[in-house]
Amino acid sequence: MNKKVTLVVQTAVIAALYAALTYAQNLLLPGTTSAAVQFRVSEALNVLALFTPAAIPGLTLGCVISNLYNIGSGLPLDMIFGSLATLGASLCIYLFRNVKIKTYPLISMLMPAIFNGIVVGWEIEFFFIEGPFEFAGFLIQCGLVALGELGVMLILGSLLYYVMIKRNLDKKLFVNSKSSM
């Protein structure tokens, strides 16, 4: 199959998975995908950026689609800023994919917590907290967002990473995309 077609298909599937998981979680556990301390299960899919560059646009598009739902909840800015945080995190995951401590890509696994903590923490403090921007408040919001991301990535992300490696799913699912970016 053509590498470009493979990349587009992988991007679409990853975006659809991210959006579907987020939407399903929000139906079952309202607020858990958009609160300051969120545990968005779909964020574990960030691990896919370790295996394919298709995950970068896929995760970003999935985040945009997921955050469209939040526009009705009064959070249109999250579609922009949350999606930009996902873009930055997934790009860095891909760039640092070969940096490992023993066999674990710790630096990559921390990227969603760093990007979302800073970007979404700033978004919350700047747009949703009444009064002037306070750096101490930003640090609190940053920490709360990062805490949720760390939980997802270090628990669910690690589990997904090791299942993919152990079962060779990285090679079976993403065989044609290694050299396409």
Side-chain angles (χ1 to χ4, degrees), residues 53-121:
I56 299 165
L59 293 164
T60 304
L61 183 59
C63 189
V64 168
I65 294 166
S66 297
N67 288 337
L68 280 172
Y69 174 82
N70 291 333
I71 288 176
S73 307
L75 300 173
L77 295 171
D78 201 40
M79 187 179 77
I80 298 165
F81 294 109
S83 302
L84 286 173
T86 297
L87 174 62
S90 60
L91 182 60
C92 285
I93 288 169
Y94 184 78
L95 293 174
F96 292 120
R97 70 191 179 280
N98 294 323
V99 178
K100 296 181 181 170
I101 297 173
K102 296 194 180 192
T103 62
Y104 188 71
L106 179 63
I107 304 285
S108 290
M109 297 299 255
L110 296 176
M111 290 298 127
I114 293 168
F115 275 85
N116 283 286
I118 293 170
V119 174
V120 177

Side-chain angles (χ1 to χ4, degrees), residues 108-181:
S108 290
M109 297 299 255
L110 296 176
M111 290 298 127
I114 293 168
F115 275 85
N116 283 286
I118 293 170
V119 174
V120 177
W122 171 82
E123 175 191 355
I124 292 169
E125 181 62 27
F126 192 81
F127 293 108
F128 299 106
I129 305 296
E130 289 189 27
F133 181 87
E134 294 181 16
F135 189 70
F138 161 71
L139 291 177
I140 290 168
Q141 298 304 331
C142 180
L144 291 172
V145 172
L147 184 65
E149 285 289 334
L150 277 174
V152 171
M153 290 306 294
L154 297 179
I155 297 169
L156 298 178
S158 294
L159 181 64
L160 180 58
Y161 173 74
Y162 283 118
V163 166
M164 290 198 59
I165 296 295
K166 184 153 178 90
R167 303 217 181 259
N168 288 320
L169 294 176
D170 56 328
K171 292 173 183 64
K172 292 176 186 174
L173 296 174
F174 304 117
V175 69
N176 292 325
S177 62
K178 290 287 184 197
S179 61
S180 37
M181 190 167 175

